[in-house]
Amino acid sequence: MSDQARIMLASAFLIVAAMNLVWLASVRMRNVGIVDVFWGIGFVLVALTGFVIGDGYVARRLLVLGLACAWGLRLGIHLGVRNIGKPEDFRYARMRELSKGNFAMETLVRVFAVQALAMWTVSLPLQFAQSSGTPGRMTWLDGLGAGLWLLGFAFESIGDAQLRRFKADPSNAGTVMDRGLWRYTRHPNYFGDAVVWWGFFVIALNSPDGWWAIASPLLMTFVLAKISGVPILEHHLMRSKPGYADYARRTSALFPLPPKRGADGAVERP
């Protein structure tokens, strides 16, 4: 069996086993939202698996492991701190409310199995990048990929920090966050997340078969922009946050752009 096949199979086994354990914990805690906390941690485990059993160029394996750990641990800690002691996320609470059967089994299929498949697919760049021993040196693809990762990581972490400070100020209660990075995109954290995985994909292109890993950033970008990221959150915010519709009209949904201007040339404000 090839090195790439071993990593892919080991990653699949690890993800399925871990997701089942998280599912059991969610049933006991009556909180499906813990799957979101595990999301980032799962990629750390995949990167560790590839690093341990992979035979790729060691410096590249270390680079991928370090970047994956930084991204995954930051995201997991951020979501864990944000969600601790809070009610179940509105998406899963709504699903629980509408369930007419065995909710635990429903979430096993609709949430945990789907996320397990998504995690394996999105982690493909981590798997490919750690399997090939050639080229046996760092290349411009490593530099470009790391640069894209850094850009995405900065958007994601800075955006989260800015929103956290905004929510912590009581004077901002009921208002819309439209400052800092949020002035240019309604979802700097989602934009950053997508760019991080384009960065990992570029690094994976060092592998002869690395182009297969393009499924990762394509899936991540599509899901964030069209399925479970922007659409679901925006539907909730449009109904719950006064002024959000005005903010959405003048601000790009995902890709950062200057705010739209009114007829008088001034930037529109709510």
Side-chain angles (χ1 to χ4, degrees), residues 10-217:
S11 297
F13 178 82
L14 171 72
I15 290 170
V16 169
M19 277 294 183
N20 274 279
L21 290 175
V22 177
W23 170 69
L24 289 173
S26 77
V27 174
R28 183 176 181 84
M29 297 169 63
R30 290 186 58 81
N31 189 341
V32 181
I34 64 173
V35 71
D36 296 334
V37 179
F38 175 72
W39 177 253
I41 306 301
F43 290 99
V44 174
L45 298 178
V46 171
L48 282 169
T49 299
F51 181 79
V52 170
I53 70 176
D55 292 328
Y57 178 52
V58 65
R60 184 167 300 111
R61 288 161 54 206
L62 282 169
L63 172 66
V64 170
L65 176 63
L67 298 183
C69 287
W71 176 82
L73 292 175
R74 188 213 71 86
L75 182 61
I77 293 170
H78 167 72
L79 293 177
V81 170
R82 188 187 71 180
N83 296 344
I84 190 169
K86 301 289 180 60
E88 189 173 44
D89 184 276
F90 71 91
R91 297 166 297 164
Y92 306 124
R94 181 62 174 166
M95 187 185 299
R96 188 183 296 274
E97 179 184 334
L98 296 176
S99 176
K100 292 180 170 39
N102 187 323
F103 181 69
M105 294 305 299
E106 185 179 343
T107 59
L108 177 61
V109 175
R110 291 181 57 190
V111 178
F112 290 87
V114 170
Q115 291 217 22
L117 179 59
M119 181 176 289
W120 184 83
T121 304
V122 173
S123 68
L124 284 175
L126 308 182
Q127 301 173 42
F128 276 95
Q130 302 202 68
S131 66
S132 177
T134 56
R137 65 186 188 283
M138 300 301 282
T139 71
W140 66 272
L141 289 170
D142 296 303
L144 177 59
L148 285 172
W149 179 94
L150 183 60
L151 173 64
F153 186 78
F155 257 86
E156 192 172 358
S157 55
I158 293 172
D160 282 338
Q162 289 175 340
L163 183 61
R164 185 169 58 248
R165 288 195 298 270
F166 178 83
K167 289 183 174 181
D169 186 346
S171 67
N172 293 325
T175 62
V176 176
M177 170 56 161
D178 61 354
R179 309 167 191 172
L181 295 178
W182 299 82
R183 186 170 185 262
Y184 305 99
T185 166
R186 304 199 297 272
H187 303 281
N189 46 355
Y190 290 161
F191 170 75
D193 206 357
V195 173
V196 159
W197 288 99
W198 282 105
F200 279 127
F201 165 65
V202 171
I203 296 175
L205 286 175
N206 283 290
S207 169
D209 297 319
W211 63 273
W212 283 101
I214 197 172
S216 165

